[in-house]
Amino acid sequence: DAAARRELAEEIGLVAPRLLPAGEATGIWDGWRYRVHFFELRLDRPPKLQLDNREIIGARLASLEELRGIAVTGPVAVYLERAPVAPPADMGGDPTRSR
């Protein structure tokens, strides 16, 4: 948690008081063995990002639905496979309707 918050602050200027643990993935990607820890951040409004222009030269925030439509790294693909799918917009979040 502390390392993830530090990296957010250093690389994109986002100060996160709290991150929610969202699991981990292990595997071999690009010939290297990795253990990746995932965290989620819930925001009330989109923050202004301040990139470090060293490690990060471009960034934008994206919803899970948007991420499912673009090419991502192996660990992120594992995370997206596990992430819940949002209900269709026409269901209005009504808990009495089947999904």
Side-chain angles (χ1 to χ4, degrees), residues 14-22 39-47 64 79 84:
L14 179 59
V15 177
R18 182 166 186 254
L19 296 175
L20 303 170
F39 297 91
E40 294 179 354
L41 173 62
R42 307 287 164 88
L43 300 168
D44 294 333
R45 62 186 180 284
L64 287 174
Y79 170 78

Side-chain angles (χ1 to χ4, degrees), residues 16-90:
R18 182 166 186 254
L19 296 175
L20 303 170
E24 67 178 54
T26 57
I28 298 174
W29 295 287
D30 298 324
W32 293 86
R33 180 155 185 77
Y34 286 94
R35 168 173 269 150
V36 179
H37 298 269
F38 296 103
F39 297 91
E40 294 179 354
L41 173 62
R42 307 287 164 88
L43 300 168
D44 294 333
R45 62 186 180 284
K48 180 175 176 6
L49 302 180
Q50 297 174 331
L51 308 183
D52 71 0
N53 289 315
R54 292 175 299 141
E55 291 182 71
I56 307 296
I57 59 171
R60 71 178 180 90
L61 299 177
S63 68
L64 287 174
E65 291 73 31
E66 287 178 285
L67 286 174
R68 287 187 171 102
I70 62 176
V72 295
T73 63
V76 174
V78 169
Y79 170 78
L80 292 174
E81 289 172 9
R82 297 178 187 164
V85 176
D90 65 342

